Every structure is written in C-alpha cells, then in structure tokens.
Amino acid sequence: IKRDLYEGGIRTPFVAKWPGNIKSGTESKLLATFWDVLPTLAEISGTETPLNIDGISFRKDLFGEKQKTTRPLYWEFNGVIGRQSGFTKRENH
C-alpha cells in the first residue's frame, strides 16, 4: 500500500542511527519528505547542496535541535479518483 495516500503510504516513520552524533531516543514531529534526504546528507557531509531542488535539510532535527520550516506539501494519486492529501504547514514545536 506504499502508493496509497493514507498512513503507510505517505506517512511512514524515518529511523536514523549514528552513534556519537544522533542521541538515542531523539524524536521529532517534523514532516519530512524523500526529497529532503539529499540536502540533509549534503549539509551533514559539508557538501554544497545542488541548486534548484525542492528539498530542505532536516539536520537540526536529527541532532536534537528544533527547527521550524513551513511549505506546502501535496500529493495526488490519479489511479483512484478523489485521492488527495496535503499539508499546508510543516512545523516542529
């Protein structure tokens, strides 16, 4: 059901482990997307993030810092009529 627009489709947990860098038990409510992985890994590795990409680094959240990011997120699956999902905010409190 990965292509579904419900839990398990677009909302799945992201787990990261990096002893000595990511504190065990760290949890975040930040809504990240797959296209956020590239800028996150680029920032962590000290590599310049490519221009003109949609992703936003979530490095701060990985290391237990709080960050606020706002942007609209929207998915639509045309295989089933009427399946739409969106988030207008992605904030971490």
Side-chain angles (χ1 to χ4, degrees), residues 39-81:
T40 302
L41 295 177
E43 184 177 2
I44 289 171
S45 67
T47 305
E48 190 170 322
T49 303
L51 299 175
N52 300 320
I53 63 170
D54 294 325
I56 297 171
S57 174
F58 55 85
R59 182 202 60 82
K60 285 185 177 183
D61 270 76
L62 283 177
F63 294 114
E65 302 171 37
K66 299 299 178 193
Q67 68 186 48
K68 285 192 176 188
T69 348
T70 304
R71 70 172 172 186
L73 298 175
Y74 176 82
W75 290 265
E76 184 170 328
F77 177 53
N78 293 320
V80 179
I81 296 173

